[in-house]
Amino acid sequence: QVQLQESGPGLVKASQTLSLVCAVSGDSITRTWTAWSWIRQPPGKTLEWMGVIPYDGNTYFSSSLKSRASISRDTSKNQFTLQLTSVTPEDTAVYYCNAAEDLGNGVISEYDYWGQGTQVTVSS
């Protein structure tokens, strides 16, 4: 019932800023104990966690991306946004948004939803 959908440009020029929006329906991005993440997968590589905005509005990022990435949310629109600055061709990937419930103490619930992913290509 919960649906997530990514949207944004499919092609971005190097050195510019990538902005992607995840629209959420069927649940609220302020749902208690739920984390809303951005994850990407470069071609031929594994999934890479980028960052998260939990229900409390705080943000956390991977160490490799923290200098370039930011996440914001619009509770009135029930959506959250990823911005990645100074992109390079190495940022080419399929980008996903995800919702997951973490109950703490290493216990994770079965609440786990993914968007379909959106291809982003960075041109040099």
Side-chain angles (χ1 to χ4, degrees):
Q1 187 172 350
V2 180
Q3 294 184 336
L4 290 75
Q5 185 170 22
E6 305 90 345
S7 63
L11 182 64
V12 182
K13 294 182 179 180
S15 80
Q16 295 186 337
T17 297
L18 170 66
S19 183
L20 297 174
V21 175
C22 182
V24 179
S25 63
D27 214 339
S28 172
I29 60 174
T30 61
R31 180 182 186 273
T32 306
W33 303 121
T34 304
W36 308 83
S37 297
W38 285 100
I39 300 161
R40 68 181 181 181
Q41 185 170 32
K45 298 183 179 180
T46 58
L47 294 170
E48 176 189 10
W49 179 80
M50 302 181 68
V52 59
I53 183 166
Y55 70 98
D56 62 7
N58 292 312
T59 56
Y60 307 89
F61 304 95
S62 69
S63 59
S64 62
L65 296 172
K66 61 182 180 181
S67 65
R68 297 194 294 130
S70 64
I71 299 176
S72 59
R73 69 181 184 181
D74 187 337
T75 56
S76 66
K77 297 181 179 180
N78 207 41
Q79 61 185 214
F80 59 104
T81 300
L82 168 72
Q83 291 195 91
L84 187 66
T85 64
S86 302
V87 298
T88 73
E90 292 185 348
D91 293 312
T92 294
V94 177
Y95 285 74
Y96 301 91
C97 54
N98 164 264
E101 184 182 49
D102 188 346
L103 302 180
N105 298 316
V107 179
I108 302 176
S109 77
E110 295 181 355
Y111 187 101
D112 187 11
Y113 298 95
W114 292 77
Q116 81 287 349
T118 185
Q119 173 70 47
V120 177
T121 300
V122 179
S123 62
S124 60

